[in-house]
Amino acid sequence: MNHIQPILSSFSGISLAKLNTNPLVNRNDTKFIFSRNQLPLLLDKLRPAFNILEIQNQRVFGYENLYFDTEDLLFYRQHHDQARPRYKVRYRKYLEPAAFYFEIKSKNNKDRTLKLRKKVTRISEVFSEPIKQMILEQVGVEPDRLIPTLNVSFSRITLGDQHITNRVTIDFDLVVGSNGDQREF
């Protein structure tokens, strides 16, 4: 991503504290896939209206996720069938600065994405009692039915508009792994 460093440097920075004044835990998500060679043009068009998240002089951040599902892939099937509500259950590690969270994301019948999260000390394949209670209350699935199914890591650029009401995240260097198989995108 060295070829976009000059563009990233040209954005005005925004702190995590400022960006989190509107944490967008209840939001409408729209996703797009585009070629890496389109990224400089996209960033250039966004620059006048958006600031870039900057933490300790860094503007690109790494993430690691461990997703859980049932043995019969209930959450995957919900997603594939566009069911509402549908859920994602995961641990997330923010690499810079290091922080760990357990998260439950849901998409409701109004196409809103809701995220609940709890700070934890590490990613684990075993749920603590408070996490089990959270899963049962929010998802309605017995936590003991959930198993680790997917590892996902990526790098992210986060942009926030001037009013901190809209956010654009750009993910790249995606690595997905399951059952010993790993793919890079």
Side-chain angles (χ1 to χ4, degrees):
M1 295 308 291
N2 289 337
H3 69 289
I4 63 163
Q5 286 303 333
I7 298 170
L8 297 181
S9 296
S10 70
F11 276 83
S12 294
I14 186 171
S15 71
L16 184 59
K18 178 85 169 160
L19 193 64
N20 280 342
T21 57
N22 184 359
L24 298 177
V25 294
N26 180 343
R27 62 185 186 251
N28 191 308
D29 283 342
T30 305
K31 295 181 176 26
F32 301 94
I33 297 175
F34 58 90
S35 169
R36 195 180 278 244
N37 64 2
Q38 295 173 299
L39 184 55
L41 178 62
L42 175 67
L43 288 169
D44 197 47
K45 289 193 178 288
L46 291 170
R47 184 179 46 226
F50 285 84
N51 298 320
I52 190 167
L53 175 63
E54 182 175 329
I55 302 172
Q56 299 171 349
N57 296 317
Q58 283 190 255
R59 293 179 170 207
V60 177
F61 304 96
Y63 294 73
E64 293 176 359
N65 298 308
L66 175 60
Y67 287 88
F68 292 80
D69 207 337
T70 60
E71 195 169 302
D72 64 347
L73 302 177
L74 171 66
F75 302 146
Y76 169 77
R77 287 185 289 107
Q78 287 176 343
H79 179 80
H80 182 270
D81 297 342
Q82 298 184 14
R84 304 288 194 277
R86 66 178 185 236
Y87 300 94
K88 291 181 184 175
V89 174
R90 70 179 178 210
Y91 280 99
R92 169 167 280 179
K93 178 180 181 182
Y94 295 83
L95 299 180
E96 309 91 7
F100 299 87
Y101 290 90
F102 174 77
E103 300 178 338
I104 297 175
K105 288 180 70 175
S106 64
K107 184 161 280 205
N108 68 21
N109 62 353
K110 294 178 176 62
D111 257 359
R112 301 291 295 175
T113 299
L114 308 167
K115 182 164 69 169
L116 296 172
R117 65 187 205 165
K118 179 174 180 49
K119 193 164 179 69
V120 295
T121 57
R122 63 185 172 88
I123 290 178
S124 175
E125 293 189 4
V126 179
F127 299 126
S128 67
E129 287 306 314
I131 297 294
K132 286 182 179 181
Q133 189 65 35
M134 188 175 167
I135 294 168
L136 195 54
E137 288 173 4
Q138 299 299 319
V139 183
V141 171
E142 278 296 328
D144 294 338
R145 288 186 56 208
L146 301 182
I147 56 173
T149 54
L150 192 64
N151 290 293
V152 178
S153 64
F154 56 92
S155 296
R156 173 174 282 176
I157 298 165
T158 301
L159 306 173
D161 72 354
Q162 309 299 328
H163 305 289
I164 313 173
T165 54
N166 292 293
R167 199 171 294 173
V168 174
T169 57
I170 301 169
D171 299 340
F172 53 94
D173 295 339
L174 181 68
V175 179
V176 178
S178 180
N179 297 326
D181 187 25
Q182 185 169 298
R183 303 256 166 92
E184 295 181 27
F185 301 93

